[in-house]
């Protein structure tokens, strides 16, 4: 078992051969290669009553990521394009974000968790302003975390036609300075746009909002990129 603790950064620059679990508690673990976690039996982020951060660092992991029961888990990508394909199980608080200019794709297996919420862009107030990259939900199966989704900074983009990428029966809230991009796909859930939040379709002519939109901010906006169509 490997436990990454403290408040600094640990970089896995090569594939590791230990087969026990990896616990990230009060520290940041960065992946230096795609296969950094291939042999570990499980990955736990925020496994104590504090926080833990897994930084994909422009790489891909196929491991199931499980958040701790009490702490805050951060799954991030600080450079380039990082991808998590093995699924995420939420047991407490989960922030997913990419740094400015970076992209984090969540694909493959589902995000699961009973009545657990997801925050895109972090929940750290003004110190989150650099966490405004793009997070893409492109799972091949429905996400079932069954809590609400909040976009606080950056962009949440749909990356697949999979139904219920934002779980059915929940609400997606787009806050000030944040964007939700359907990217030519259809979104049928409840949608709330606050302050200067933006909902858009960046590509194609088949983007749709079919679940109703609540505008709670005086400068909230809905738009489509040039040569694109967003139907409401």
């Amino acid at each position: 078992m490997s436990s990454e603790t403290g408040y600094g950064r640990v970089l896995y620059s090569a594939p590791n051969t230990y087969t026990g679990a990896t616990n990230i508690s009060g520290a940041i673990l960065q992946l230096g290669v795609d296969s950094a976690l291939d042999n570990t039996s499980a990955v736990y982020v925020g496994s104590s009553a504090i926080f833990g951060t897994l930084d994909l660092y422009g790489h891909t992991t196929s491991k199931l990521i499980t958040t701790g029961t009490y702490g805050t888990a951060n799954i991030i990508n600080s450079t380039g394009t990082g991808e998590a394909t093995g699924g995420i199980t939420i047991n407490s608080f989960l922030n997913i974000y990419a740094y400015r200019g970076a992209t984090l794709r969540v694909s493959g297996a589902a995000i699961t968790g009973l009545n657990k919420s997801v925050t895109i862009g972090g929940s750290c107030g003004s110190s989150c302003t650099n966490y405004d990259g793009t997070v893409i939900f492109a799972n091949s199966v429905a996400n079932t975390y069954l809590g609400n989704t909040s976009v606080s900074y950056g962009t949440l983009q749909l990356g697949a036609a999979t139904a219920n990428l934002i779980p059915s029966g929940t609400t997606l809230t787009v806050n000030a300075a944040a964007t939700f991009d359907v990217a030519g796909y259809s979104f049928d859930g409840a949608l709330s746009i606050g302050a200067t939040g933006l909902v858009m379709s960046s590509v194609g002519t088949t983007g749709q909002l079919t679940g109703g939109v609540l505008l709670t901010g005086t400068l909230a906006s809905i738009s489509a990129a040039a040569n694109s169509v967003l139907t409401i």
Side-chain angles (χ1 to χ4, degrees), residues 153-175:
Y153 292 94
T155 299
L156 173 61
Q157 182 182 93
L158 300 184
T162 307
N164 298 323
L165 287 175
I166 308 299
S168 177
T170 67
T171 298
L172 171 62
T173 300
V174 183
N175 295 311

Side-chain angles (χ1 to χ4, degrees), residues 128-183:
C128 285
T129 53
N130 287 327
Y131 303 165
D132 59 357
T134 300
V135 173
I136 302 174
F137 280 4
N139 308 76
S140 56
V141 294
N143 289 320
T144 59
Y145 50 91
L146 298 181
N148 293 326
T149 305
S150 176
V151 188
S152 60
Y153 292 94
T155 299
L156 173 61
Q157 182 182 93
L158 300 184
T162 307
N164 298 323
L165 287 175
I166 308 299
S168 177
T170 67
T171 298
L172 171 62
T173 300
V174 183
N175 295 311
T179 300
F180 174 52
D181 180 8
V182 299

Side-chain angles (χ1 to χ4, degrees), residues 43-46 65-69 73 75 88-94:
V43 179
Y44 300 103
V45 182
I65 302 167
T66 301
T67 74
T69 304
I75 300 173
I88 302 170
T89 298
I90 310 171
N91 291 309
S92 57
F93 305 100
L94 174 62

Side-chain angles (χ1 to χ4, degrees), residues 18-19 40 54 59 61 99-100 134 139 149 154 184 207 230:
Y18 67 87
T19 57
T40 188
L54 174 63
H59 296 285
T61 181
Y99 277 37
R100 185 168 297 168
T134 300
N139 308 76
T149 305
L230 176 59

Side-chain angles (χ1 to χ4, degrees), residues 20-195:
T22 299
N23 293 292
I24 308 168
S25 179
I28 300 170
L29 175 61
Q30 292 181 320
L31 305 187
V33 292
D34 288 349
S35 54
L37 297 172
D38 279 6
N39 294 306
T40 188
S41 61
V43 179
Y44 300 103
V45 182
S47 53
S48 71
I50 46 177
F51 79 95
T53 300
L54 174 63
D55 181 0
L56 302 180
Y57 204 52
H59 296 285
T60 297
T61 181
S62 60
K63 302 300 293 188
L64 171 65
I65 302 167
T66 301
T67 74
T69 304
Y70 302 106
T72 296
N74 304 302
I75 300 173
I76 75 171
N77 185 56
S78 61
T79 186
T81 298
E83 187 161 12
T85 66
I88 302 170
T89 298
I90 310 171
N91 291 309
S92 57
F93 305 100
L94 174 62
N95 299 317
I96 303 176
Y97 59 87
Y99 277 37
R100 185 168 297 168
T103 299
L104 194 163
R105 285 177 55 89
V106 182
S107 62
I111 306 173
T112 64
L114 183 60
N115 298 321
K116 301 300 181 181
S117 298
V118 171
T119 300
I120 305 298
S123 54
C124 48
S126 60
S127 61
C128 285
T129 53
N130 287 327
Y131 303 165
D132 59 357
T134 300
V135 173
I136 302 174
F137 280 4
N139 308 76
S140 56
V141 294
N143 289 320
T144 59
Y145 50 91
L146 298 181
N148 293 326
T149 305
S150 176
V151 188
S152 60
Y153 292 94
T155 299
L156 173 61
Q157 182 182 93
L158 300 184
T162 307
N164 298 323
L165 287 175
I166 308 299
S168 177
T170 67
T171 298
L172 171 62
T173 300
V174 183
N175 295 311
T179 300
F180 174 52
D181 180 8
V182 299
Y185 296 105
S186 179
F187 176 66
D188 62 0
L191 179 61
S192 175
I193 313 174

